[in-house]
């Protein structure tokens, strides 16, 4: 094993637990997988260990049993002679306090639970994952890596909402931003693709997946981003509404007789691409339906690309120019259509897409022409590796 460090990365959702085991000597993942439908008798556990893919249906009553089942499989495979030196945890919200990754102490865990006020769907699950993992691995360091951390220092004028200032201060109501590990990762990779230092570049990173956020990265630092206090704001997403007039919420609550839980559910789980198209939250299905003439699927598709373009235009102003635009996450990495459509009206910025490179390449690459004033890149994100790196750091 030599001096290498093995890091287990965990991402706990309300009914899921994703894991990834990294050999940080080589920065490679040696095992990965996910338990889904935790809490049910027919939960699903999918693992790829030693290159061997397996999917099982089993009862996983809680996250504890899920982690135990994962470790059992790891011990039977790679882990029989591989120690876990540290555990890195993805935590969605670091609240006003955490602008960097931290070693998990009782105080940190308490804070993560308290910040459920900003991320009620995510932080309680993240905290539960940490508790279970700390009991299982009591003697190794656990590190919390926050989605919000990269955006911690965006300027006041970019993060302040137009509500009474005292209330913003009292409750920490402001834009926090998310997908920070992804934006930081793809911005750094883009600088490498451009063979230029990150600290010399103005980059707009477009993370377009089930959740979508756009980020203005100025010389390596996030200076604005499209998500807000919660991951609901900004571009429309798979099932989230994105930015809407707050009065819509009041109106729907009154006329549809919705309480807080019902409106939260509607805006988070029944809106966005799914709500508009009535077809699916999955963009591949939206594309197919749009191509076969479904008007609502076309509308959903158009709204997504329009929103992304709006933010790129806005952030070109925020950055006072732009050197590179980067596409990442499921849709950004794979949808030729979305990239072409978004870039089709960015000629005024000096963007010239190379249709060949956009259509036919794979993986990390430049997809603009050599004479394009703005370099456009595709960079598959790797949030798990970023969390492992942060854990080692
Ligand atoms: P998450 O936010 O859950 O990590 P992903 O980044 O995996 O999401 O993105 C999921 C989205 O990517 C889905 O809408 C899916 O349809 C879309 N997607 C994945 N592959 C393709 C593809 N080949 N073409 C278009 N969209 C794709």
């Amino acid at each position: 094993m030599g001096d290498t460090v093995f890091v287990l990365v965990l991402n706990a959702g309300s009914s899921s637990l994703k894991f990834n085991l990294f050999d940080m000597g080589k920065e490679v993942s040696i095992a990965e997988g996910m338990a889904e439908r935790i809490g049910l008798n027919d939960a699903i556990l999918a693992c790829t260990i030693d290159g061997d893919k397996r999917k099982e249906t089993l009862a996983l009553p809680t996250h504890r049993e899920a982690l135990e089942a994962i470790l059992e499989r790891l011990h039977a495979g790679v882990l029989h002679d591989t120690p876990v030196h540290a555990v890195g945890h993805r935590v969605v919200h670091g609240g006003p306090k955490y602008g960097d990754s931290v070693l998990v102490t009782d105080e940190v865990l308490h804070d993560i639970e308290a910040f459920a006020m900003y991320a009620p769907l995510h932080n309680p699950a993240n905290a539960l994952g940490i508790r279970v993992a700390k009991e299982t691995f009591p003697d190794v360091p656990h590190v919390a890596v926050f989605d919000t951390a990269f955006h911690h220092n965006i300027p006041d004028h970019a993060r302040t909402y137009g509500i009474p200032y005292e209330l913003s201060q009292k409750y920490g109501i402001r834009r926090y931003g998310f997908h920070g590990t992804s934006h930081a990762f793809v911005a750094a990779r883009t600088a490498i693709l451009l063979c230029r230092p990150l600290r010399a570049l103005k980059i707009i990173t477009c993370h377009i997946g089930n959740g979508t956020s756009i980020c203005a990265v100025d010389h390596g630092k996030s200076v604005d981003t499209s998500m807000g206090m919660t991951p609901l704001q900004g571009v429309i997403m798979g099932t989230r509404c994105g930015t809407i007039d707050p009065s819509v919420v009041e109106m729907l609550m009154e006329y549809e007789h919705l309480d807080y839980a019902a409106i939260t559910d509607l805006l988070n789980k029944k809106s966005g691409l799914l709500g508009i198209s009535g077809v699916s939250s999955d963009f591949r299905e939206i594309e197919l339906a749009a191509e076969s003439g479904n008007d609502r699927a076309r509308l959903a598709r158009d709204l997504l690309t329009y929103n992304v373009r709006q933010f790129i235009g806005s952030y070109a102003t925020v950055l006072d120019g732009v050197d590179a635009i980067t596409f990442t996450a499921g849709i950004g990495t794979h949808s030729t259509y979305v990239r072409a459509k978004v870039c089709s009206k960015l000629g005024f910025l000096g963007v010239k897409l190379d249709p060949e490179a956009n259509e036919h390449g794979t993986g990390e690459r430049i997809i603009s022409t050599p004479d394009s004033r703005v370099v456009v890149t595709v960079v598959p994100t790797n949030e798990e590796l970023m969390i492992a790196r942060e854990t080692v750091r």
Side-chain angles (χ1 to χ4, degrees):
M1 292 296 133
D3 293 331
T4 195
V5 171
F6 291 95
V7 176
L8 180 65
V9 172
L10 294 178
N11 180 356
S14 56
S15 65
S16 68
L17 182 64
K18 283 190 199 164
F19 75 95
N20 228 303
L21 182 64
F22 283 95
D23 172 348
M24 292 307 285
K26 303 190 200 104
E27 286 207 334
V28 292
S29 163
I30 53 176
E32 62 175 329
M34 176 167 179
E36 283 174 284
R37 299 162 59 84
I38 295 172
L40 301 177
N41 281 331
D42 56 347
I44 296 168
L45 178 58
C47 301
T48 304
I49 299 173
D50 287 336
D52 181 23
K53 265 193 179 176
R54 273 196 213 168
K55 202 167 183 176
E56 305 160 60
T57 304
L58 70 178
L60 296 174
T62 70
H63 284 71
R64 193 175 319 278
E65 286 81 6
L67 184 58
E68 279 166 9
I70 289 168
L71 290 176
E72 232 172 69
R73 276 122 193 108
L74 282 175
H75 281 298
V78 279
L79 208 58
H80 62 275
D81 61 349
T82 304
V84 169
H85 293 110
V87 185
H89 297 269
R90 181 190 185 194
V91 179
V92 165
H93 219 300
K97 190 164 168 183
Y98 296 103
D100 204 352
S101 308
V102 285
L103 211 52
V104 178
T105 60
D106 289 345
E107 182 187 335
V108 170
L109 194 47
H110 177 265
D111 287 338
I112 291 170
E113 280 165 346
F115 297 150
M117 68 189 280
Y118 307 115
L121 304 176
H122 296 102
N123 269 40
N126 298 156
L128 178 64
I130 294 176
R131 280 194 191 284
V132 169
K134 273 181 80 97
E135 283 164 24
T136 311
F137 295 102
D139 301 322
V140 306
H142 289 252
V143 175
V145 181
F146 300 97
D147 262 34
T148 48
F150 184 54
H151 310 293
H152 193 68
N153 293 315
I154 58 177
D156 282 344
H157 58 255
R159 70 180 182 195
T160 303
Y161 289 125
I163 60 169
Y165 189 73
E166 304 74 28
L167 290 175
S168 298
Q169 294 300 102
K170 185 173 175 186
Y171 295 110
I173 297 173
R174 62 167 169 84
R175 183 189 299 281
Y176 287 94
F178 300 86
H179 294 138
T181 48
S182 177
H183 290 296
F185 179 82
V186 302
R189 292 303 309 171
T190 293
I192 290 168
L193 278 174
L194 269 65
C195 299
R196 291 179 62 189
L198 183 59
R199 62 176 187 282
L201 291 170
K202 299 172 182 183
I203 306 175
I204 298 173
T205 49
C206 306
H207 178 114
I208 315 174
N210 273 326
T212 291
S213 68
I214 318 296
C215 183
V217 184
D218 197 1
H219 302 88
K221 296 194 163 61
S222 168
V223 292
D224 205 345
T225 189
S226 59
M227 282 179 166
M229 183 180 82
T230 75
L232 197 53
Q233 198 182 344
V235 177
I236 65 153
M237 310 180 208
T239 59
R240 286 176 238 159
C241 60
T243 298
I244 56 172
D245 183 336
S247 306
V248 174
V249 178
E250 292 159 21
M251 186 181 151
L252 285 176
M253 288 180 86
E254 184 173 341
Y255 285 80
E256 288 286 310
H257 311 293
L258 303 177
D259 62 9
Y260 176 80
I263 193 77
T264 302
D265 188 62
L266 183 141
L267 299 175
N268 279 282
K269 298 193 175 155
K270 297 181 181 145
S271 298
L273 295 174
L274 171 68
I276 293 167
S277 70
V279 171
S280 173
S281 63
D282 188 305
F283 193 71
R284 283 164 292 199
E285 290 181 33
I286 301 282
E287 277 194 319
L288 285 174
E291 278 157 24
S292 58
N294 181 319
D295 284 339
R296 279 173 54 185
R298 279 190 183 156
L299 178 60
R301 187 183 66 171
D302 291 349
L303 189 46
L304 174 69
T305 52
Y306 180 66
N307 276 178
V308 172
R309 205 151 46 76
Q310 282 180 306
F311 273 104
I312 292 174
S314 160
Y315 290 167
T317 310
V318 165
L319 293 168
D320 192 12
V322 51
D323 299 302
I325 297 170
T326 303
F327 290 92
T328 192
I331 300 172
T333 304
H334 299 293
S335 176
T336 306
Y337 174 87
V338 166
R339 293 191 303 260
K341 189 77 180 171
V342 167
C343 291
S344 67
K345 294 211 175 145
L346 298 178
F348 75 101
L349 284 176
V351 171
K352 282 192 199 168
L353 201 68
D354 175 348
E356 274 290 305
N358 184 40
E359 295 258 345
H360 299 301
T362 52
E364 201 173 277
R365 65 197 189 276
I366 290 175
I367 58 167
S368 48
T369 60
D371 65 337
S372 179
R373 231 182 317 130
V374 177
V375 181
V376 183
T377 67
V378 176
V379 177
T381 194
N382 196 338
E383 289 161 293
E384 294 78 15
L385 175 60
M386 272 298 272
I387 294 170
R389 280 183 186 161
E390 283 293 285
T391 304
V392 171
R393 183 171 71 81

